[in-house]
Amino acid sequence: MASSDQIQSPETTNLRLLLLHRYPKFKTMFLSKLQTRYQILDPLTEPEPSPLSGSVRVMLCVGPTPVTSETLNKYPNLECIVGTSAGFEHFDLNECRRRGIIVTTAGDSFSDDVADFAVGLLIDVLRRVSAADRFVRAGCWPVKGEFPLAFKVGGKRVGIVGLGNIGSRVAKRLEAFGCTIAYTSKRKKPNVSFPFHSNIHDLAINSDVLILCCSLTKETHHIVGKEALTALGKEGIVINVGRGALVDEKELVQFLKRGEIGGAGLDVYENEPNVPKELFGLDNVVLSPHMAVFTPESFQVLEELFSYNLEAFFSNKPLRAQIEFE
């Protein structure tokens, strides 16, 4: 990380100013490249308020670092936020709209990788791959004999919550496995042949599997709770690659402990990095540490996107993956 002396050095003062907005724990592998193109203002490395705060026109927001009205107050001339996260719940979009600030996201940079991971979690839960691995490593095979039967993937009725960039890719992949697809979304998608259900209950009662791919909003918070889990049924599977708070985690834990649903594959949680300890001993649950998006390939696509958007902003060209305010 460059020091404040480096940032303020005469060699960089002719560069365009870029605000780097991030959590302290977030490091950016792209910083060295950015420093060749921009004068970086990183509030974590120099005291606030910076004399440059009033000159900032564009922010690079790393991951889901919150951008609140208090954040925006520090940069009165901010015009654009270039995001690197697929989600947008960390932005105060109402305040951005009020101030006329353009906001972009990672778009579909991560979509293929997250879709792959969702399918991987589903296969793992149904075929008990991780549980079988533990069975063998623990030396149980010679002692206990045959491993319990697992379940077929093909033929499952898969309900997708959010048929956007990720959800549509999940659907395409699982169609190839012979699954039947239905979905619920904010609105029915034109030119989509899959059955549409206007609410989560109707989708769940007609599905063997629910895969959550939607954004976290006030409307989708705890969209999968007691009612949806009951409708899904005793053999139902929940896969979550969206956001942890899409699921009422306490209810999910209780349903799994009581054997009232068949299993779960979770990449996201309500209070990350804390995961309910009750899940650790359940062989029908597959857990991962919010890693579905992380591949070298997805980061390369992301870098290309945000680099384009930064240059487009300074060149007064249209930006990609821009949020359309409602």
Side-chain angles (χ1 to χ4, degrees):
M1 184 63 70
S3 69
S4 57
D5 288 338
Q6 290 173 307
I7 292 173
Q8 297 296 331
S9 65
E11 291 79 12
T12 62
T13 53
N14 62 329
L15 297 177
R16 297 162 296 180
L17 183 62
L18 173 63
L19 172 65
L20 187 64
H21 183 63
R22 62 185 178 90
Y23 279 124
K25 65 179 180 179
F26 285 168
K27 309 298 181 186
T28 173
M29 65 184 73
F30 313 118
L31 183 60
S32 59
K33 289 184 182 179
L34 290 171
Q35 286 174 321
T36 66
R37 304 173 191 166
Y38 308 102
Q39 181 180 0
I40 304 298
L41 173 60
D42 185 352
L44 295 181
T45 64
E46 52 183 86
E48 292 191 279
S50 167
L52 295 175
S53 296
S55 302
V56 169
R57 296 175 57 217
V58 61
M59 168 196 293
L60 180 65
C61 181
V62 181
T65 308
V67 177
T68 64
S69 59
E70 289 77 14
T71 308
L72 298 175
N73 286 338
K74 299 176 183 178
Y75 310 104
N77 294 307
L78 188 69
E79 300 173 26
C80 177
I81 300 172
V82 174
T84 64
S85 174
F88 49 77
E89 68 277 1
H90 54 293
F91 297 124
D92 187 335
L93 292 182
N94 288 332
E95 191 64 18
C96 289
R97 177 176 53 210
R98 188 184 73 80
R99 296 176 186 234
I101 297 173
I102 298 169
V103 182
T104 71
T105 69
D108 63 359
S109 300
F110 305 126
S111 298
D112 282 320
D113 298 284
V114 177
D116 290 346
F117 205 85
V119 173
L121 285 174
L122 178 59
I123 294 171
D124 197 338
V125 174
L126 286 172
R127 297 306 311 268
R128 297 178 176 171
V129 179
S130 293
D133 178 82
R134 290 191 294 271
F135 183 83
V136 172
R137 290 175 187 272
C140 296
W141 194 5
V143 178
K144 296 184 179 181
E146 296 301 317
F147 185 72
L149 287 175
F151 297 92
K152 185 176 181 175
V153 178
K156 290 292 182 290
R157 300 172 302 161
V158 176
I160 297 177
V161 183
L163 199 70
N165 289 331
I166 295 170
S168 59
R169 286 166 167 82
V170 172
K172 181 179 180 180
R173 285 155 171 74
L174 288 177
E175 272 195 303
F177 280 85
C179 297
T180 58
I181 308 296
Y183 75 100
T184 189
S185 207
K186 193 184 320 184
R187 60 184 65 90
K188 187 175 182 181
K189 305 287 184 180
N191 305 317
V192 170
S193 60
F194 304 133
F196 169 74
H197 296 280
S198 60
N199 60 76
I200 189 70
H201 177 271
D202 290 351
L203 181 67
I205 206 166
N206 289 287
S207 299
D208 303 308
V209 177
L210 286 180
I211 301 182
L212 285 82
C213 307
C214 62
S215 301
L216 178 62
T217 65
K218 291 180 180 178
E219 292 73 28
T220 60
H221 182 267
H222 284 187
I223 190 171
V224 173
K226 185 175 183 179
E227 181 183 0
L229 293 170
T230 301
L232 187 60
K234 195 176 178 74
E235 295 183 354
I237 305 295
V238 174
I239 304 295
N240 191 2
V241 292
R243 288 290 186 265
L246 295 171
V247 177
D248 185 334
E249 200 166 76
K250 291 182 180 178
E251 286 288 354
L252 177 64
V253 168
Q254 292 307 311
F255 269 73
L256 288 164
K257 286 173 63 178
R258 296 193 299 259
E260 293 177 358
I261 64 167
L266 307 174
D267 184 51
V268 288
Y269 311 90
E270 282 206 71
N271 186 29
E272 296 178 3
N274 302 302
V275 178
K277 292 182 173 57
E278 298 96 325
L279 298 177
F280 294 167
L282 300 178
D283 266 351
N284 59 340
V285 177
V286 178
L287 307 171
S288 63
H290 201 154
M291 58 174 286
V293 303
F294 296 131
T295 66
E297 294 85 354
S298 69
F299 279 127
Q300 180 178 348
V301 174
L302 175 64
E303 182 182 8
E304 291 170 358
L305 176 62
F306 77 68
S307 296
Y308 171 87
N309 276 338
L310 290 173
E311 289 301 312
F313 170 78
F314 285 113
S315 304
N316 294 314
K317 294 180 180 179
L319 277 65
R320 297 173 182 166
Q322 182 174 333
I323 293 176
E324 299 294 334
F325 296 122
E326 294 184 353

